[in-house]
């Protein structure tokens, strides 16, 4: 999940370069970008947005920032090649936040945070050597961009430099309306693109792209390690076509898929009645309007059921995340009290805690949350909040395990830096980084990998990922992608069990229709 606001306390780190007595220092900005300070994500505010639909008492509150003009994101959506996720600058209303604790002048490891001049001199020496002796002339801008990308490349898979075009695309796709193929991607160190999930009802889904696929070439052109945003060519005019070369687990050789681009208008919430009294609600991503759409769809379901539901299956399968505050809003809609999520980083502005306010829009009806290996980031926040507060049982497969928060730092030239600044923690105080949410009831797809194996579709297998506290715990190997309607039937069966019934520990095998189709 990503947050979009300038971290003013980080700017002096970059600006220190302008004071360094180096040959290239004169090109560095001498003043910070003219951006107004904004706050980090905060707990529920003391007032609700006037336009937000609500059936709670006027005095009761909702989390802030649920319907911004634009959405902070998740691992990069569609064609950004970044990750969750995910978004554009937006102000955050004042909230019930404790006063920020003072931080020491040194970083969390006791290391002075000043720029190391000797290391900078070494960089300049290499820079000059390349400029003077490389076999072909190298453009200054190209060389500097490569250096900046390299600065972020070895941090973790979700920290990335976005040039102006990529940053604009990033903002655009976060609003759920853009030209592309409709797929959430994670760029790999070798430049290839891992599919986090195809977005519902888009060309990617219709072409047969699956979560876990690895795109190794676009229009026959392989990727290069240092080319930056390797997914930009997935964008294009509606009606134009692009050929993707894909490596898929279970297939011996790479194969091509032709996908027609179109204008992607993502409807993030869909619902229907499964049978009298029992509802199904699908959330495919967390966008700016997702929380409001959730409330609208929930009221519609309640009306169809005569004013009250007997239970609901919430489907978060292959939901790659998105706007954190939308997930928090939905959790608040279903909780009367309790913590929802907290974030902790090395600087005070990265620390925040979200809590629920009174009022349960589902009126206490039983709730089951359906997840799989494609459920990441904000969807893991929602599942963890509902499970830890005893509000819902989680059914499906272990989730992706993206437990980090990215902050998008806009630069004064239109580029942006998406930097991992915090980890998030479920109400129980646990980090799911590189572990994920382990369901109460586990479902298996047909021809599931051996239980002792470690499939590649998980945060823990991404090169350079942040180490998780429990990622090596026995019995918590990666989950699977669960497709089709069979997992919904299993979730409904779990939903109908009497309150207090013992949750089974045995694995439920879901004969997922279409799971083996190519």
């Amino acid at each position: 999940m990503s947050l979009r606001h300038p971290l003013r306390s980080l700017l002096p780190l970059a600006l220190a370069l302008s004071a360094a007595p180096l040959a290239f220092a004169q090109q560095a900005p001498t003043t910070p970008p003219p951006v107004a300070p904004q706050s980090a994500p905060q707990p529920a505010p003391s007032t609700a947005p006037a336009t937000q639909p609500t059936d709670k008492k006027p005095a009761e509150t909702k989390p802030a920032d649920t319907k911004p003009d634009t959405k902070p994101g998740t691992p990069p959506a569609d064609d950004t090649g970044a990750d969750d996720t995910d978004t554009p600058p937006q102000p955050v209303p004042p909230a019930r936040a404790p006063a920020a604790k003072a931080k020491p002048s040194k970083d969390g490891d006791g290391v002075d945070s000043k720029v190391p001049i000797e290391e900078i001199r070494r960089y300049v020496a290499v820079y000059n050597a390349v400029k003077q002796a490389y076999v072909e002339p190298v453009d200054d801008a190209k060389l500097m961009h490569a250096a900046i990308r390299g600065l972020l490349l070895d941090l973790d898979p979700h920290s990335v430099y976005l040039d102006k075009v990529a940053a604009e695309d990033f903002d655009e796709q976060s609003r759920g309306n853009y030209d592309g193929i409709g797929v959430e991607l994670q760029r790999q160190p070798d430049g290839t693109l891992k599919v986090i999930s195809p977005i519902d009802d888009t060309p990617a889904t219709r072409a047969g792209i699956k979560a876990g696929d690895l795109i190794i070439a676009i229009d026959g052109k392989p990727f290069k390690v240092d080319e930056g945003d390797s997914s930009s060519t997935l964008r294009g005019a509606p009606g134009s076509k692009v050929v993707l070369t894909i490596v898929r687990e279970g297939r011996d050789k790479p194969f091509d898929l032709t996908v027609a681009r179109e204008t992607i208008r993502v409807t993030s919430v869909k619902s229907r009645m499964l049978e009298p009294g029992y509802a199904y609600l699908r959330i495919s991503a967390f966008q700016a309007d997702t929380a409001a759409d959730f409330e609208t769809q929930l009221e519609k379901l309640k009306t169809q059921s005569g004013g009250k539901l007997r239970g609901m299956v919430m489907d978060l399968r292959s939901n790659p995340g998105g706007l954190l505050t939308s997930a928090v809003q939905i959790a608040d809609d279903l909780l009367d009290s309790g913590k929802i999520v907290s974030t902790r980083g090395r600087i005070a502005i990265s620390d925040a805690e979200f809590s629920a306010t009174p009022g349960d829009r589902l009126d206490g009806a039983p709730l089951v949350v359906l997840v799989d290996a494609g459920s990441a980031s904000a969807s893991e926040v929602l599942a963890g909040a509902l499970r830890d507060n005893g509000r819902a049982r989680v059914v499906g497969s272990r989730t992706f395990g993206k437990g980090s928060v990215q902050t998008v730092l806009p630069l004064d030239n239109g580029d942006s830096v998406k930097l991992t600044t915090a980890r998030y923690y479920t109400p129980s105080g646990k980090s799911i980084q590189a572990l994920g949410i382990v369901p109460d009831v586990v479902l298996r797809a047909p021809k599931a990998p051996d239980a002792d194996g470690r499939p590649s579709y998980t945060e823990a297998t991404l090169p350079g990922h942040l180490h998780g506290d429990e990622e090596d715990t026995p019995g918590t190997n990666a989950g699977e992608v669960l497709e089709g309607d069979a997992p919904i039937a299993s979730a409904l069966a779990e939903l109908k069990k009497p309150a207090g019934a013992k949750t089974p520990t045995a694995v439920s095998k879901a004969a997922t229709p279409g799971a083996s189709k190519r």
Side-chain angles (χ1 to χ4, degrees):
M1 99 197 75
S2 297
L3 307 171
R4 184 83 186 234
H5 59 81
L7 287 180
R8 303 288 288 189
S9 57
L10 289 184
L11 290 177
L13 185 64
L15 297 177
L17 292 175
S18 65
L22 303 172
F24 72 94
Q26 296 177 356
Q27 299 177 7
T30 57
T31 57
V35 185
Q38 295 172 313
S39 61
Q42 300 293 342
S46 57
T47 57
T51 58
Q52 175 177 306
T54 177
D55 55 12
K56 295 188 178 185
K57 297 177 182 178
E60 295 169 349
T61 61
K62 310 303 296 177
D65 202 22
T66 58
K67 293 177 65 179
D69 293 336
T70 53
K71 141 195 163 185
T74 63
D78 197 47
D79 324 319
T80 64
D83 144 64
D84 204 305
T85 326
D86 305 321
T87 76
Q90 61 179 39
V92 180
R96 294 195 307 252
K101 295 180 180 179
K103 290 280 186 176
S105 59
K106 295 184 178 182
D107 66 24
D109 299 319
V111 179
D112 196 319
S113 60
K114 292 181 180 178
V115 175
I117 298 302
E118 289 305 317
E119 295 301 320
I120 296 297
R121 286 197 176 102
R122 181 166 62 170
Y123 163 76
V124 173
V126 175
Y127 185 94
N128 287 333
V130 173
K131 285 287 297 179
Q132 296 171 14
Y134 186 66
V135 65
E136 295 179 352
V138 182
D139 179 74
D140 282 327
K142 181 178 180 180
L143 191 56
M144 189 60 73
H145 273 76
I148 293 172
R149 289 195 299 269
L151 185 66
L152 298 169
L153 188 61
D154 288 340
L155 295 180
D156 73 283
H158 310 296
S159 294
V160 65
Y161 185 84
L162 303 174
D163 61 26
K164 184 176 181 180
V165 173
E168 290 173 350
D169 287 345
F170 189 75
D171 292 350
E172 182 184 64
Q173 63 84 22
S174 71
R175 296 191 291 270
N177 189 331
Y178 59 95
D179 295 336
I181 65 170
V183 63
E184 300 280 347
L185 300 170
Q186 171 62 55
R187 185 179 184 275
Q188 305 298 289
D190 60 359
T192 59
L193 302 170
K194 174 81 78 172
V195 176
I196 299 299
S197 70
I199 299 172
D200 291 351
D201 299 326
T202 63
T205 302
R206 293 191 290 271
I209 295 175
K210 296 179 180 293
D213 283 350
L214 187 68
I215 301 174
I216 62 171
I218 297 177
D219 288 332
K221 181 182 177 182
F223 300 119
K224 296 180 180 178
V225 174
D226 60 349
E227 66 181 316
D229 180 16
S230 50
S231 67
S232 59
T233 50
L234 294 179
R235 298 279 182 147
S240 60
K241 295 182 179 180
V242 60
V243 178
L244 309 181
T245 303
I246 292 175
V247 172
R248 177 176 296 168
E249 188 173 355
R251 297 282 292 263
D252 294 335
K253 298 179 180 179
F255 61 96
D256 290 342
L257 283 178
T258 300
V259 187
R261 303 179 182 93
E262 66 180 45
T263 299
I264 308 298
R265 295 181 177 88
V266 179
T267 302
S268 61
V269 183
K270 296 180 180 180
S271 66
R272 69 178 190 269
M273 297 300 299
L274 294 174
E275 57 183 62
Y278 293 96
Y280 169 83
L281 188 143
R282 160 81 176 153
I283 303 176
S284 59
F286 293 96
Q287 300 175 330
D289 294 329
T290 298
D293 291 343
F294 168 82
E295 292 165 359
T296 299
Q297 291 291 328
L298 185 55
E299 291 305 310
K300 177 182 174 182
L301 291 168
K302 289 166 66 175
T303 299
Q304 293 175 356
S305 189
K308 186 177 177 66
L309 291 170
R310 298 175 63 187
M312 185 173 78
V313 173
M314 180 187 293
D315 189 352
L316 300 180
R317 288 176 298 168
S318 293
N319 178 330
L323 180 58
L324 171 62
T325 45
S326 286
V328 169
Q329 172 71 66
I330 293 171
D332 187 30
D333 283 342
L334 298 168
L335 292 170
D336 269 319
S337 62
K339 293 181 181 179
I340 295 174
V341 68
S342 60
T343 63
R344 303 176 211 161
R346 286 176 56 203
I347 57 178
I349 198 172
S350 298
D351 297 346
E353 183 176 289
F354 294 82
S355 296
T357 56
D360 177 358
R361 291 179 181 271
L362 200 51
D363 304 315
L367 179 65
V368 164
V369 178
L370 184 58
V371 298
D372 70 358
S375 305
S377 196
S379 57
E380 294 174 292
V381 167
L382 179 55
L386 296 174
R387 201 257 296 276
D388 282 7
N389 281 286
R391 182 64 185 87
R393 284 168 288 177
V394 177
V395 174
S397 188
R398 195 186 79 157
T399 59
F400 188 75
K402 183 179 180 293
S404 61
V405 179
Q406 283 68 48
T407 300
V408 180
L409 305 172
L411 305 180
D412 56 355
N413 66 347
D415 295 355
S416 294
V417 173
K418 184 155 73 73
L419 189 68
T420 298
T421 55
R423 299 172 189 258
Y424 70 74
Y425 295 81
T426 64
S428 64
K430 291 185 177 181
S431 166
I432 58 88
Q433 171 62 21
L435 172 67
I437 302 292
V438 179
D440 301 305
V441 178
V442 178
L443 305 180
R444 297 283 193 202
K447 300 180 182 178
D450 182 34
D452 294 329
R454 192 169 179 83
S456 61
Y457 189 62
T458 169
E459 172 83 8
T461 59
L462 294 180
H465 73 276
L466 295 177
H467 184 75
D469 296 338
E470 301 181 57
E471 67 174 278
D472 296 323
T473 302
T476 55
N477 53 299
E480 305 163 62
V481 175
L482 304 174
E483 299 177 312
D485 291 337
I488 300 174
S490 297
L492 178 60
E494 183 68 20
L495 183 65
K496 289 181 175 181
K497 290 184 178 178
K502 184 178 180 180
T503 300
T505 55
V507 171
S508 299
K509 292 188 177 180
T512 308
S516 60
K517 290 183 180 178
R518 304 303 184 188

